[in-house]
DNA sequence: GAGAAACCGTACCATGAGTGCAGTTTTGGA
DNA sequence: TCCAAAACTGCACTCATGGTACGGTTTCTC
């Protein structure tokens, strides 16, 4: 199931990677339906036959794109939350640090966040087979569970000041990111995403941090 | 500029409306690029000539779709926030009531929220001309300004407990809705959107409501 | 140097956007 | 009731794109 993640050595793997990268950029800019294979292969410098040697059809391309996107994203999250954990032993502080890092990372992207592939697919679901849709749902569940775990750790040490559903609060991070990306893109203002993540961070602080001595 | 909003009486207007409704559903399910005119006209029961009688090309269709969507959404917001205002004189309470109404409205949709047209377009921006993109940006700015106005009114009466950027907090509602829609769709769980709006409501309460007597 | 991997070339089909235009029905108003 | 405009139909195109099929060629690896 995860043999895909092994690093293959052949030259073909480099071509595959190139195709996936170009296709992802195109999908995020025009959508999957409007992403033409001809354009992709032109930019990748190979022929249609070459493309279909690597991918059985467009849906196979979509599957690999999602796998690649999820893997990349997971790696980023691993890094950022590990870093937070290194910098503080307190789970709340660690999370707050990680959120700050995440916000900075998003704000420092050269041309703004290119877009969330999951969101793109979700707005074109009828184009994909069950496998792609299942892959997408699974990855979202994975991210939510990851955030929920962190919140659980925090709640043990810092009981929330008001009753709050930790599942919803975990979901909210993904929502804020996806919404922030959309707002950044539609207003052509990169800072919105960063600021939304920082605002989510403020909410977390308000929910868990002890009130100032009064 | 806004002559479009006049209610035209002709039979043609009904056909236009039918086309727009069918096209919107298709765009939200498959994306604009994959929405075929042939399919739309088949469902609407007219010919290609008939379609092009109403819309010069696909981009004209997109423009009218956005105008229609924004108008519908604005009407919904008008209603919901007016209702909140009727039920409480306190701006904070009125907003909290409206958010609850909004959450319920979203949760009670027969088949879940069909999707945000702005988000869909924003993930296929390269397909649209400047006019459509400008229309989209303008509508987002409009919604943000509306929410910002409400928050201003609240902050006058209830100074926030921690320094918070009201612009960001206003943006956050749109973000949470867009993100909630995506999460609802990708997990096929209608309740997520409703719960995200309620969580945003909790955050507002935490930010502005006086702390319980201590 | 043999076999597998990674391609290229070409021909072909179906679908979809969009154009052009002549002809027909429907509708609202004088 | 009739007329003109509105709201279409029908047909005949063009061009781009997704996708299939298949035989041939280069390139890498052992």
């Amino acid at each position: 199931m995860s043999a895909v993640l092994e690093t293959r050595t052949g030259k073909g793997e480099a071509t595959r990677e190139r195709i996936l990268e170009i296709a992802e950029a195109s999908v995020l800019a025009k959508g999957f339906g409007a992403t033409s294979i001809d354009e992709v292969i032109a930019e990748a410098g190979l022929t249609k036959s070459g493309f279909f040697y690597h991918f059985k059809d467009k849906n196979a391309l979509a599957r690999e794109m999602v796998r690649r996107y999820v893997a990349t994203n997971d790696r980023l999250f691993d890094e950022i939350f590990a870093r937070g954990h290194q910098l503080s032993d307190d789970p709340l502080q660690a999370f707050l640090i990680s959120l700050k890092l995440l916000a900075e990372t998003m704000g420092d992207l050269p041309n703004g966040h290119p877009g969330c592939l999951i969101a793109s697919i979700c707005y074109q679901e009828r184009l994909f087979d069950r496998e792609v849709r299942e892959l997408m749902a699974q990855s979202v569940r994975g991210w939510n569970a990851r955030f929920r775990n962190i919140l659980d750790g925090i709640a043990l040490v810092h009981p929330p000041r008001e009753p709050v559903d930790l599942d919803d609060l975990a979901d909210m991070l993904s929502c804020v990111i996806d919404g922030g990306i959309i707002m950044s893109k539609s207003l052509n203002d990169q800072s919105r995403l960063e600021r939304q993540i920082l605002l989510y961070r403020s909410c977390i602080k308000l929910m868990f941090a002890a009130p100032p001595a009064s």
Side-chain angles (χ1 to χ4, degrees), chain A residues 82-100:
Chain A
R83 191 91 186 98
H85 221 71
Q86 283 168 14
L87 294 176
S88 175
D89 283 337
D90 179 76
L92 176 58
Q93 288 308 314
F95 191 42
L96 294 177
I97 291 170
S98 297
L99 286 175
K100 183 100 170 105

Side-chain angles (χ1 to χ4, degrees), chain A residues 50-186:
Chain A
F51 175 87
F52 284 105
Y53 171 77
H54 288 289
F55 303 98
K56 180 175 151 278
D57 53 26
K58 250 183 136 187
N59 250 300
L61 174 69
R63 269 195 300 274
E64 294 308 312
M65 277 177 51
V66 175
R67 271 196 249 275
R68 197 183 97 106
Y69 180 81
V70 172
T72 306
N73 241 34
D74 275 338
R75 235 174 299 134
L76 176 70
F77 283 146
D78 284 344
E79 225 174 272
I80 280 184
F81 289 112
R83 191 91 186 98
H85 221 71
Q86 283 168 14
L87 294 176
S88 175
D89 283 337
D90 179 76
L92 176 58
Q93 288 308 314
F95 191 42
L96 294 177
I97 291 170
S98 297
L99 286 175
K100 183 100 170 105
L101 286 174
L102 182 62
E104 274 172 13
T105 306
M106 296 303 181
D108 288 348
L109 291 172
N111 292 312
H113 196 293
C116 170
L117 195 62
I118 304 301
S120 174
I121 287 177
C122 146
Y123 269 105
Q124 310 179 45
E125 34 170 15
R126 284 278 117 71
L127 297 181
F128 303 95
D129 54 31
R130 241 219 349 255
E131 201 181 332
V132 173
R133 288 204 289 259
E134 193 44 54
L135 210 58
M136 166 182 75
Q138 206 48 54
S139 67
V140 173
R141 273 191 281 267
W143 290 324
N144 287 346
R146 176 200 283 263
F147 303 144
R148 168 68 206 241
N149 260 348
I150 296 176
L151 292 178
D152 275 337
I154 294 175
L156 279 178
V157 188
H158 307 272
R161 287 157 74 177
E162 292 213 13
V164 61
D165 187 315
L166 293 187
D167 277 324
D168 291 344
L169 197 55
D171 287 6
M172 197 187 210
L173 182 48
S174 292
C175 288
V176 160
I177 294 175
D178 269 337
I181 291 174
I182 290 171
M183 186 150 299
S184 280
K185 284 179 79 122
S186 54

